[in-house]
Amino acid sequence: MPTDHGPKPLRATRSGPLKGSLRPPGDKSISHRSLMLGALAVGETVVEGLLEGEDVISTAAAMRAFGATVTRGEDAVWRVAGPGVGGLLEPEGVIDYGNAGTGVRLALGIAGSHAFATTFTGDGSLIKRPMGRVLDPLRRMGVQVIARSGDRLPATVRGPDVPVPVEYRLPVASAQVKSSILLAGLNVPGTTTVIEPVPTRDHTERMLQAFGAAIDIETGEDGSRIIRVDGRHDLKPQHIVVPGDPSSAAFPIVAALIVEGSDVTVENVLLNPTRTGLLETLIEMGADIVIENRRAVGGEEVGDIRVRHKRLKGVRVPASRAPSMIDEYPILAIAAAFAEGDTLMEGIGEMRVKESDRIAAIAAGLVANGVTVEEGPESLLVHGGAEVPGGGLVATRLDHRIAMSFLILGLAAEKPVTVDDAATIATSFPAFQGLMTGLGARFEEATDG
Ligand code: S3P
């Protein structure tokens, strides 16, 4: 779904202690997959706690275009009645996925193994992002592809009558690529195999198991994960409770660490070990973080995270941690700016192909606010200090996480920090401003940009 808002500049000002508790929105990865697997099951899937952000609403619209019935009750419970694997209909129009990289890459897999044509496009950020990483394995399955140069959107995929199962070793550590192939494999006769040398978030595998797919996971001799799915079996509809998104929880967590005197509890946060790299890193930096009330929700571990202000120290974040905190480097860089000493983030080349080139966007934003950084092709070094001057105007480049990260910086910097567009935050965390304000954060509209 395209976003029709104009830019909304917003300014954050040094705030008093942040106090209280909040619940982050539902996890974005699980929300996309809930609607997709609901459409691929026959019968009614019920989803509680869905993230109602623009990215996920785009997936709801896409699933409707494929013939699923997707409705929201007044109680915010969503229901998906799926036509089921192999039963999807050819969409009548172009599917505009807005800003949602995960949504479009997973939907390309779903569409690609169906014998009809689907055309996808997106916003000014999404049409710049590489789609070859999912289109290449789809081509090997026999899918016809017409895409803009460099395998960019807009792109059309047309599945063959009988797609061919593949065995595909992931050339990049990407849960999106893994998931796209596995979702395509659901409508491929025979066994589709994905080999994952480096583990990435495993929500697709867990949810496929819950939906009754014929899926099998094994560890190879070299330690890689081998995931096999047998296609053309029916999926059983599920009742899903979506846990809170750790990638959204990251913003109030870091805010509480850097704003003096803060004491904040972020409730109901997903603690799946493929998503907890930021918590591990912040604890290494000396953060005062306590996880309370650990419990199971919908087959996942969740907990309440209590964070108190603490002066952090710089650390080296190893490349091996990147998959478990890939979306959290922007906000880690903000924590690093206030830490004592240097923080080096290595092996983060994937950051260059997110909603924006995040290494460049973070570096430019920090420099604009008086922080010294060293940018490498696949790394970022932040020189921390007790005080961050602030006072900068940050270009958010259609990237929600860049917008939220620099607003958090402004809550603790000496001078206010302005982001040129906070409207993009609605893609993943529509209640960000209200929830943060409830803790004591100070924001104001910035008409002068
Ligand atoms: C996601 C996977 C990650 C992440 C994205 C969500 C997912 O992308 O950055 O926000 O839901 O599978 P990659 O797997 O491409 O790194």
Side-chain angles (χ1 to χ4, degrees):
M1 208 176 71
T3 51
D4 53 8
H5 40 58
K8 180 185 157 199
L10 195 66
R11 180 168 300 139
T13 304
R14 187 175 256 194
S15 304
L18 304 177
K19 300 269 185 187
S21 57
L22 83 165
R23 279 174 94 86
D27 184 66
K28 183 147 75 75
S29 296
I30 296 178
S31 294
H32 280 301
R33 288 159 172 82
S34 299
L35 298 179
M36 290 176 175
L37 291 176
L40 292 170
V42 181
E44 188 177 85
T45 287
V46 177
V47 190
E48 289 179 51
L50 188 86
L51 163 64
E52 296 181 334
E54 287 169 0
D55 281 7
V56 175
I57 300 303
S58 292
T59 284
M63 295 307 112
R64 287 190 190 106
F66 288 126
T69 306
V70 185
T71 54
R72 177 190 192 273
E74 275 173 22
D75 48 3
V77 173
W78 288 69
R79 288 170 201 277
V80 188
V85 171
L88 302 188
L89 304 176
E90 180 169 71
E92 286 176 1
V94 172
I95 297 182
D96 185 339
Y97 242 111
N99 193 252
T102 304
V104 80
R105 291 196 177 113
L106 272 53
L108 276 162
I110 293 173
S113 61
H114 282 77
F116 52 65
T118 313
T119 302
F120 294 97
T121 191
D123 73 2
S125 155
L126 195 57
I127 61 167
K128 293 199 193 93
R129 298 181 65 185
M131 294 298 144
R133 52 182 59 200
V134 295
L135 295 175
D136 282 339
L138 290 175
R139 287 183 177 106
R140 293 195 197 182
M141 292 175 159
V143 179
Q144 288 175 44
V145 178
I146 299 177
R148 211 159 58 82
S149 306
D151 271 344
R152 314 277 155 172
L153 299 178
T156 300
V157 288
R158 177 190 281 280
D161 287 335
V162 187
V164 184
V166 293
E167 179 177 302
Y168 194 75
R169 193 178 172 89
L170 296 180
V172 277
S174 168
Q176 293 180 355
V177 178
K178 167 177 67 177
S179 304
S180 184
I181 301 167
L182 292 175
L183 293 177
L186 293 174
N187 196 32
V188 176
T191 306
T192 296
T193 306
V194 180
I195 302 169
E196 185 177 54
V198 182
T200 63
R201 66 188 69 192
D202 59 359
H203 309 302
T204 301
E205 298 93 298
R206 285 177 186 242
M207 293 177 74
L208 279 173
Q209 269 157 348
F211 274 80
I215 180 169
D216 167 75
I217 305 169
E218 194 194 321
T219 306
E221 278 169 17
D222 61 353
S224 55
R225 287 176 82 236
I226 304 166
I227 308 151
R228 297 188 185 90
V229 68
D230 261 354
R232 303 216 164 153
H233 292 282
D234 282 349
L235 299 185
K236 294 190 287 289
Q238 296 299 302
H239 187 127
I240 298 168
V241 181
V242 182
D245 194 329
S247 301
S248 297
F251 299 102
I253 288 173
V254 170
L257 287 171
I258 64 175
V259 174
E260 231 165 273
S262 297
D263 183 351
V264 169
T265 301
V266 189
E267 296 172 348
N268 194 41
V269 182
L270 174 68
L271 295 172
N272 177 312
T274 62
R275 302 286 298 280
T276 48
L278 176 74
L279 290 179
E280 202 182 323
T281 305
L282 292 173
I283 289 167
E284 278 178 18
M285 294 171 87
D288 181 350
I289 292 178
V290 181
I291 302 178
E292 298 166 341
N293 199 12
R294 284 181 186 263
R295 58 204 184 268
V297 169
E300 292 276 10
E301 192 183 7
V302 303
D304 302 333
I305 303 180
R306 182 168 182 193
V307 193
R308 277 165 280 204
H309 167 71
K310 178 96 181 281
R311 186 77 208 284
L312 305 177
K313 56 181 191 314
V315 291
R316 176 181 157 268
V317 189
S320 58
R321 205 175 291 155
S324 67
M325 56 175 293
I326 191 65
D327 292 338
E328 282 68 79
Y329 285 98
I331 191 64
L332 174 67
I334 303 307
F338 290 92
E340 191 185 323
D342 294 348
T343 295
L344 173 63
M345 305 166 212
E346 292 178 316
I348 56 169
E350 273 295 297
M351 294 266 290
R352 296 214 181 265
V353 290
K354 293 294 176 188
E355 284 81 331
S356 67
D357 174 344
R358 283 186 174 158
I359 299 182
I362 299 166
L366 286 175
V367 168
N369 286 289
V371 180
T372 309
V373 302
E374 287 167 42
E375 187 184 332
E378 299 200 351
S379 67
L380 185 67
L381 177 73
V382 178
H383 296 286
E387 286 290 352
V388 170
L393 171 63
V394 177
T396 52
R397 309 178 188 206
L398 289 177
D399 190 331
H400 53 133
R401 298 198 202 281
I402 297 298
M404 288 186 275
S405 296
F406 282 97
L407 288 168
I408 299 295
L409 180 89
L411 302 180
E414 285 176 276
K415 291 202 215 91
V417 173
T418 308
V419 300
D420 67 352
D421 186 13
T424 56
I425 294 172
T427 60
S428 69
F429 196 169
F432 170 81
Q433 195 179 332
L435 289 176
M436 291 302 304
T437 303
L439 298 177
R442 290 173 61 201
F443 299 119
E444 62 189 6
E445 277 177 38
T447 42
D448 54 346

